[in-house]
Amino acid sequence: MTPTLAAPALPKSPRSRKKQLITEAIVVAVIALILLFVMPWIFAQAGQGVRVNQLGRFLALAIAALGIDLIWGYTGLLSLGHGLFFALGGYALAMYLQLQPLPGQTEVPIPEFFTLYGVDKLPWFWEPFYSFPFTLAAIVVIPGLVAAAFGYLIFRNRIKGVYFSILTQAALIVFFNFFNGQQKLINGTNGLKTDTATIFGVLVGSPPVQTTFYALSILFVIVGYVLCRWLTSGRMGRMLVAIRDDETRVRFSGYNPTGYKVFVFAISAILAGIAGALFTVQSGIITPSSSMSVAFSIEMVIWVAVGGRGTLIGAVLGTLIVNFAKTLLSEQFPAFWLFFQGALFLIVVTVLPMGILGWFRTTGWKFIQGRFGPQPIETYPSLELDPEVEYERETIEHQQSDR
């Protein structure tokens, strides 16, 4: 069965659109305040303060999931290599932190791992990462440029479907092997640690800095959601859905979908880069195996599939559900998480092809209402109260009783 995904939004009156946006903004603000103030307090009261850091990391992953939903759920392009862009953002921030002086140091030394491999001079491409503004720009620009160049080469040749997925995964493997083998340049398989580095003179792993990154994760989830919501709600959104549903018809209508696809692919890569940077500083390290593995990129797709592709809220919800389930189940059954994950994906594909949120929007709400709420009226009320209809009903009942 082919799931019905998000359809192009029908034009609404300015008044109803404004009312919907205000309602949505209020809901997002309330959720953000709950995440910022209520959830840390609840975890602290339950003696689970470490969960705040986990929630922050999962919110960072949700930013990447929004990008996956944008490129896959709305545009129909299944990327299995977004771990590449995630890693580029993470490495950019980690390189900056590696160049910061530790407390008590007056000069900025080269990172310690260079001395282990006999490197006594900082490689040229590390030099710009002394600058914090350059690092912030690199987190956004490098993943976006790589995705735009890669996407242009693919989409201009009209490569799509399973071939696009294979190419993204092949690119991921190429970069994984490259990063893995560069011991003298970026510490190879050992990766770059961030928790023992400093930022603005404060230890990255200290509670105040981690609290700041937790708040930034919430902020960027909102920014990512607003950006994706804006891109998918207007003419741009209708074009993306049209490309997903029938690209050939889009071309016959006089549009060239290449530019749209390259643009959306670059935006999703930028979101993954920001996610990688925020995740890295909250997890304390970035390595090729943790961020650029094939399994990790496939997990991103599972988050969106579980939450409901084509539904931005579903991407965030699916990320939180799957990752908290992974954490809790791994603590109880460390050897069986992969089986749980596989079963979860099979259940979603076979039973809930539109994901949790998609099911709730189509049949779930009606199911709950039918069990616990008032029964819906099947006919028009005016028809039920019409005297002529009532007379005909009584006449038919009398005829049946006379037989």
Side-chain angles (χ1 to χ4, degrees), residues 108-403:
V108 181
I110 64 172
E112 186 179 0
F113 72 87
F114 280 122
T115 59
L116 299 177
Y117 304 112
V119 179
D120 55 2
K121 184 180 180 182
L122 197 66
W124 62 269
F125 65 90
W126 276 75
E127 296 285 348
F129 289 95
Y130 279 116
S131 168
F132 186 63
F134 175 85
T135 303
L136 293 182
I139 292 170
V140 174
V141 173
I142 292 178
L145 283 180
V146 172
F150 186 61
Y152 178 73
L153 294 174
I154 293 177
F155 299 136
R156 74 166 186 169
N157 292 313
R158 303 189 181 186
I159 297 173
K160 57 185 179 180
V162 66
Y163 298 104
F164 172 75
S165 303
I166 292 172
L167 284 176
T168 54
Q169 196 165 91
L172 175 71
I173 294 172
V174 169
F175 274 86
F176 170 79
N177 289 324
F178 175 77
F179 275 64
N180 225 17
Q182 301 303 319
Q183 297 290 137
K184 294 184 177 181
L185 297 179
I186 50 176
N187 208 18
T189 56
N190 297 319
L192 302 176
K193 287 178 65 66
T194 61
D195 55 346
T196 55
T198 62
I199 183 168
F200 304 126
V202 184
L203 200 64
V204 172
S206 63
V209 175
Q210 290 298 306
T211 303
T212 303
F213 283 122
Y214 173 74
L216 285 175
S217 299
I218 297 172
L219 175 64
F220 277 99
V221 168
I222 296 172
V223 171
Y225 173 79
V226 172
L227 175 64
C228 294
R229 181 79 171 78
W230 175 65
L231 288 173
T232 57
S233 59
R235 295 181 60 184
M236 179 75 180
R238 289 194 288 275
M239 176 56 74
L240 298 181
V241 174
I243 293 171
R244 180 195 69 193
D245 291 344
D246 196 339
E247 184 176 336
T248 304
R249 181 171 294 181
V250 172
R251 291 186 182 277
F252 274 109
S253 300
Y255 294 97
N256 184 1
T258 301
Y260 294 96
K261 293 161 76 172
V262 171
F263 175 72
V264 169
F265 192 46
I267 293 294
S268 68
I270 290 172
L271 291 174
I274 295 171
L278 290 171
F279 184 85
T280 298
V281 290
Q282 294 181 86
S283 61
I285 189 172
I286 182 167
T287 63
S289 59
S290 67
S291 59
M292 302 176 73
S293 65
V294 173
F296 181 62
S297 291
I298 294 177
E299 278 186 21
M300 293 184 185
V301 176
I302 294 177
W303 304 335
V304 178
V306 170
R309 62 182 174 127
T311 62
L312 297 173
I313 294 292
V316 178
L317 190 66
T319 305
L320 297 179
I321 290 175
V322 173
N323 281 286
F324 267 115
K326 177 181 180 180
T327 301
L328 298 175
L329 289 174
S330 297
E331 291 172 356
Q332 299 297 325
F333 312 101
F336 295 101
W337 161 244
L338 290 178
F339 294 100
F340 282 120
Q341 182 176 255
L344 179 65
F345 188 65
L346 287 174
I347 290 171
V348 168
V349 171
T350 56
V351 181
L352 302 173
M354 291 177 288
I356 295 173
L357 199 63
W359 170 80
F360 185 78
R361 285 180 173 176
T362 52
T363 59
W365 176 245
K366 291 180 181 177
F367 176 79
I368 295 172
Q369 196 176 30
R371 292 291 184 275
F372 305 104
Q375 296 297 320
I377 299 174
E378 299 293 342
T379 60
Y380 291 104
S382 59
L383 192 62
E384 290 286 334
L385 300 176
D386 192 324
E388 294 184 2
V389 173
E390 182 67 19
Y391 175 75
E392 289 182 9
R393 183 186 296 120
E394 291 178 355
T395 303
I396 293 173
E397 288 177 355
H398 285 311
Q399 290 176 350
Q400 291 177 343
S401 63
D402 291 340
R403 290 177 182 175

